[in-house]
């Protein structure tokens, strides 16, 4: 006789637990973590490079970790800023997880780092469901992607504490409707702040840095109510599952969520907990 096992929260429960521990340890070290989510080609690497340069010029101890399925191209670009940078190759995994982030920070994150920017895998589906222990979650979209992006990816934009529009220097050329984009953002994430930026033209540069520093100094994080959104994705280890999420939010770090899951395979293995102090 088959035994029925309740896997309702098995898939993300371990990740969320690890994320909470990681968040607490990084907060104790005075490190603000900014999780950047976007689709491929949004221009987040170009924008992040400029923000890192500004941070270094202002004397803000900053570091960046960038994740991709293959190549170290983004790390090479970000390293031009002169700040500590690390590349994470996910070997096909479509998102970062809290345990993965913790393992890569262990022994690498410089002591005294005030800001850590995490450039997540270019994907607006899977990364949206994973709390990395971040202090600030940012969803980015370029003017070339269409005004309906927030409606197509309501989890990514609905859980964001800040929305950033990139490549505004070509907004007129591509017919970007700013009012329509803002309205769509507000539909899935009422009250969230929207920043307009251009890495090439210079518009809005430094605003992301300022927001991250403000949150680190105690500014409240916007937490809207998010509707149930189903999706499917693959986990580290090769298995996949589909699930839907209903999200409840609070002012404070880290997504507060309730989950409804229907895994098609066994749950992900346990992720490690603590983040060790940097080696001297």
């Amino acid at each position: 006789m088959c035994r029925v096992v309740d896997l309702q929260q098995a898939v993300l429960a371990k990740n969320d637990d690890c994320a909470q521990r990681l968040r607490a340890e990084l907060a104790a070290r005075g490190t603000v973590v900014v999780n950047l989510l976007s689709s491929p080609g949004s221009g987040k690497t170009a924008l992040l490079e400029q923000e890192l340069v500004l941070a270094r010029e202002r004397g803000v101890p900053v570091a960046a970790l960038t994740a991709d399925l293959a190549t170290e191209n983004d790390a090479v670009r970000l390293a031009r800023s002169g700040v500590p940078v690390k590349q994470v190759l996910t070997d096909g995994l479509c998102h970062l997880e809290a345990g993965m982030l913790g393992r890569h920070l262990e022994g690498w994150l410089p002591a005294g780092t005030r800001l850590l920017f995490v450039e997540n895998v270019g994907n607006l589906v899977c990364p949206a469901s994973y709390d990395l222990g971040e202090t600030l979650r940012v969803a980015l979209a370029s003017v070339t992607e269409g005004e309906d992006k927030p409606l197509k990816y309501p989890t990514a934009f609905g859980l964001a504490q800040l929305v950033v529009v990139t490549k505004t220097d070509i907004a007129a050329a591509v017919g970007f409707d700013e009012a329509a984009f803002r309205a769509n953002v507000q539909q899935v994430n009422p009250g969230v702040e929207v920043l307009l930026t251009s890495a090439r033209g210079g518009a809005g540069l430094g605003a992301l840095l300022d927001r991250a520093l403000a949150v680190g100094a105690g500014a409240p994080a916007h937490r809207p109510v998010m509707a149930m959104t189903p999706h499917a994705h693959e986990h580290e280890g090769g298995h996949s599952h589909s699930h839907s999420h209903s999200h409840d939010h609070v002012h404070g770090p880290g997504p507060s969520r309730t989950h409804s899951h229907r895994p098609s395979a066994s749950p992900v293995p346990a992720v490690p907990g603590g983040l060790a102090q940097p080696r001297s």
Side-chain angles (χ1 to χ4, degrees):
M1 183 176 179
C2 294
R3 184 168 61 93
V4 177
V5 179
D6 182 6
L7 297 178
Q8 183 177 7
Q9 294 192 5
V11 176
L12 292 179
K14 288 185 175 68
N15 181 84
D16 289 347
D17 182 61
C18 182
Q20 292 293 350
R21 295 196 302 269
L22 186 59
R23 178 179 294 110
E25 292 178 26
L26 288 168
R29 295 172 57 168
T31 302
V32 172
V33 181
V34 182
N35 185 9
L36 303 175
L37 292 83
S38 80
S39 58
S42 68
K44 68 177 177 296
T45 305
L47 177 63
L48 179 55
E49 182 182 354
Q50 297 298 326
E51 297 290 331
L52 294 176
V53 169
L54 286 174
R56 181 177 56 79
E57 292 176 347
R58 295 183 188 180
V60 178
V62 64
L65 181 146
T66 181
D68 213 338
L69 277 69
T71 83
E72 296 187 355
N73 294 348
D74 289 349
V76 171
R77 291 176 59 186
L78 295 178
R80 297 184 303 201
S81 66
V83 309
V85 173
K86 185 172 186 178
Q87 178 77 56
V88 174
L89 297 180
T90 65
D91 295 324
L93 190 65
C94 62
H95 60 275
L96 282 174
E97 298 178 7
M100 296 166 61
L101 178 61
R103 289 193 296 272
H104 285 284
L105 295 183
E106 187 175 341
W108 170 75
L109 186 66
T113 299
R114 188 174 174 189
L115 291 180
L116 171 65
F117 286 95
V118 177
E119 184 179 16
N120 218 314
V121 179
N123 180 349
L124 283 172
V125 181
C126 306
S129 297
Y130 283 83
D131 182 1
L132 299 183
E134 68 264 22
T135 320
L136 178 65
R137 177 175 290 210
V138 183
L140 301 91
S142 74
V143 298
T144 62
E145 296 180 70
E147 296 81 5
D148 61 346
K149 207 73 169 184
L151 303 181
K152 288 184 175 181
Y153 301 96
T155 302
F157 286 91
L159 285 175
Q161 296 159 299
L162 178 66
V163 173
V164 174
V165 179
T166 61
K167 306 183 183 181
T168 58
D169 53 301
I170 59 172
V174 300
F176 178 68
D177 188 335
E178 179 186 338
F181 180 85
R182 287 182 178 273
N184 291 335
V185 169
Q186 295 305 312
Q187 184 173 330
V188 300
N189 194 336
V192 73
E193 182 182 2
V194 177
L195 295 179
L196 303 180
T197 67
S198 169
R200 177 173 294 180
L205 293 184
L208 175 58
L209 175 62
D210 290 340
R211 177 64 184 273
L213 291 172
V215 170
H222 174 63
R223 287 302 189 189
V225 175
M226 182 62 211
M228 188 83 75
T229 305
H231 70 271
H233 54 77
E234 196 168 290
H235 284 284
E236 191 174 17
H239 67 276
S240 62
H241 74 274
S242 63
H243 54 246
S244 58
H245 305 279
S246 61
H247 301 270
D248 298 313
H249 301 273
V250 295
H251 289 277
S256 175
R257 306 176 297 218
T258 59
H259 305 280
S260 175
H261 305 280
R262 292 181 297 278
S264 60
S266 58
V268 295
V271 293
L275 171 64
Q277 295 294 321
R279 300 185 183 95
S280 57

